[in-house]
Amino acid sequence: MTVTVPVTECAVSNCSFNDHTHCGASGITIGGNADHAQCATFIDTGVHGGLPKVLASVGACQRTECIHNDHLMCGADSVRVGPGADNADCLTYEHTV
């Protein structure tokens, strides 16, 4: 497992950290509740924020029931964020059986 997993795509155009499908946050947190993983870093302020030329990574994952979760760190090769049950969901999330 790498130290952090890159966010390779963000399809949430109204997120202040989104810059042409790339996340400008230095790191994101995956939160949510049972059977639903949400990007807890999502913010819709109408003001563009984040760092230029930064490809975000997953700093922490609170979804312990996700198959990719390893001690609150994401073990997936990469993460995609986009619309789901909420405006900004982790589309890489997979519930363990």
Side-chain angles (χ1 to χ4, degrees):
M1 179 172 89
T2 60
V3 175
T4 57
V5 175
V7 177
T8 57
E9 176 187 351
C10 179
V12 184
S13 59
N14 61 321
C15 181
S16 294
F17 291 110
N18 188 313
D19 183 19
H20 301 92
T21 73
H22 296 292
C23 182
S26 58
I28 68 169
T29 297
I30 302 298
N33 51 42
D35 297 327
H36 178 207
Q38 175 182 16
C39 178
T41 310
F42 167 77
I43 185 167
D44 183 6
T45 63
V47 175
H48 182 70
L51 303 170
K53 307 292 183 192
V54 171
L55 183 59
S57 60
V58 179
C61 179
Q62 300 172 356
R63 303 300 352 123
T64 57
E65 76 285 353
C66 180
I67 195 167
H68 302 293
N69 192 308
D70 182 11
H71 297 92
L72 302 179
M73 298 296 291
C74 184
D77 291 333
S78 65
V79 167
R80 291 175 37 252
V81 175
D86 285 316
N87 199 13
D89 285 354
C90 176
L91 302 179
T92 309
Y93 171 83
E94 291 182 56
H95 192 281
T96 55
V97 180

